Amino acid sequence: MDEKEQIIVGVDEAGRGCLFGPVVAAAVILPDQFPDDVYKDIKDSKKLSPKKREILAQYIYKNALAIGVGIVDNHEIDRINILRATYEAMHKALHQAYAKKHFDFIKVDGNRFLPFIPSGEDADVVPHECIIKGDDTVLCISAASIIAKTTRDNIIADMVNADPELNRYMLLSNKGYGTKKHFDALMQYGLTDKHRLRSVT
């Protein structure tokens, strides 16, 4: 099948390298055409400001043919390890997207992926390609990176709003990554039930 005839889904994750909170993956199928040129701003989420990411996330939700989001919490990460948890989050996102629109090919950011089989008795493995720096070179992966990042950042913000004591770990600024201030707070206050034991012990 010619790539132009294929329905391609992009997949990326956010939070894999964190000490705190879930890992989140997104799967995004984009249209062949957009109503304007805003899509040209879609790129690796790490190269966008938080405000720009939110604007583009809303744009992607409005224009995408299908979006799936998969979330795996810190307890499951500790139980099965972060690599397997990342695959699980990606597969959750892909199942969601596939339920909305069937796709023929998966493009994944990075160099490793666990083959995906959709639900159904006669389903086969969907072909995939792993692309290093795909979040900066492939539009549907860039879109997935934005959805995954904004979803996870909002989860962290909701956690802090629900439990203001989490502010002492500077989570609103570090998003759960291992900054010096985060490690200093861990030394002073210890772990919370949302920290990943495998990452900090």
Side-chain angles (χ1 to χ4, degrees), residues 18 50 53 149 152-153 156-157 160 166-182:
C18 290
R53 278 197 299 265
K149 175 65 174 167
R152 189 178 186 281
D153 284 358
I156 298 299
V160 174
L166 292 174
N167 274 311
R168 58 195 184 185
Y169 297 94
M170 306 296 291
L171 295 171
L172 292 179
S173 59
N174 64 46
K175 309 303 181 187
Y177 285 91
T179 62
K180 182 180 184 303
K181 288 183 178 180
H182 194 167

Side-chain angles (χ1 to χ4, degrees), residues 8 19 97 106:
I8 298 172
L19 310 179
I106 303 167

Side-chain angles (χ1 to χ4, degrees), residues 19 59 68 116:
L19 310 179
Y59 181 82
F116 171 77

Side-chain angles (χ1 to χ4, degrees), residues 130-146:
C130 294
I131 303 171
I132 303 295
K133 299 188 184 301
D135 53 1
D136 201 33
T137 58
V138 179
L139 191 65
C140 59
I141 299 179
S142 299
S145 80
I146 290 170

Side-chain angles (χ1 to χ4, degrees), residues 30-42:
L30 294 176
D32 292 331
Q33 294 182 321
F34 291 85
D36 49 44
D37 289 339
V38 175
Y39 76 93
K40 293 180 180 179
D41 291 336
I42 295 173

Side-chain angles (χ1 to χ4, degrees), residues 34-186:
F34 291 85
D36 49 44
D37 289 339
V38 175
Y39 76 93
K40 293 180 180 179
D41 291 336
I42 295 173
K43 57 185 176 182
D44 178 4
S45 64
K46 296 185 291 294
K47 296 184 177 181
L48 297 166
S49 69
K51 182 178 180 180
K52 187 67 172 180
R53 278 197 299 265
E54 286 290 346
I55 292 170
L56 288 172
Q58 294 305 312
Y59 181 82
I60 293 163
Y61 270 109
K62 182 178 179 180
N63 290 284
L65 301 181
I67 294 175
V69 174
I71 301 168
V72 175
D73 70 20
N74 61 299
H75 301 298
E76 185 69 359
I77 292 169
D78 283 339
R79 190 180 74 83
I80 65 176
N81 78 45
I82 185 57
L83 179 60
R84 290 172 61 191
T86 300
Y87 292 154
E88 183 176 324
M90 287 181 169
H91 282 210
K92 284 183 176 183
L94 287 165
H95 279 298
Q96 278 188 27
Y98 196 83
K100 298 170 186 175
K101 188 171 184 64
H102 289 193
F103 46 80
D104 309 301
F105 197 84
I106 303 167
K107 292 191 176 184
V108 188
D109 182 58
N111 61 0
R112 287 191 286 186
F113 179 69
L114 186 68
F116 171 77
I117 303 175
S119 300
E121 292 183 6
D122 299 324
D124 293 321
V125 173
V126 179
H128 73 270
E129 179 184 8
C130 294
I131 303 171
I132 303 295
K133 299 188 184 301
D135 53 1
D136 201 33
T137 58
V138 179
L139 191 65
C140 59
I141 299 179
S142 299
S145 80
I146 290 170
I147 297 299
K149 175 65 174 167
T150 54
T151 299
R152 189 178 186 281
D153 284 358
N154 289 333
I155 289 171
I156 298 299
D158 288 344
M159 286 180 173
V160 174
N161 288 335
D163 182 3
E165 283 197 356
L166 292 174
N167 274 311
R168 58 195 184 185
Y169 297 94
M170 306 296 291
L171 295 171
L172 292 179
S173 59
N174 64 46
K175 309 303 181 187
Y177 285 91
T179 62
K180 182 180 184 303
K181 288 183 178 180
H182 194 167
F183 278 114
D184 288 346
L186 284 169

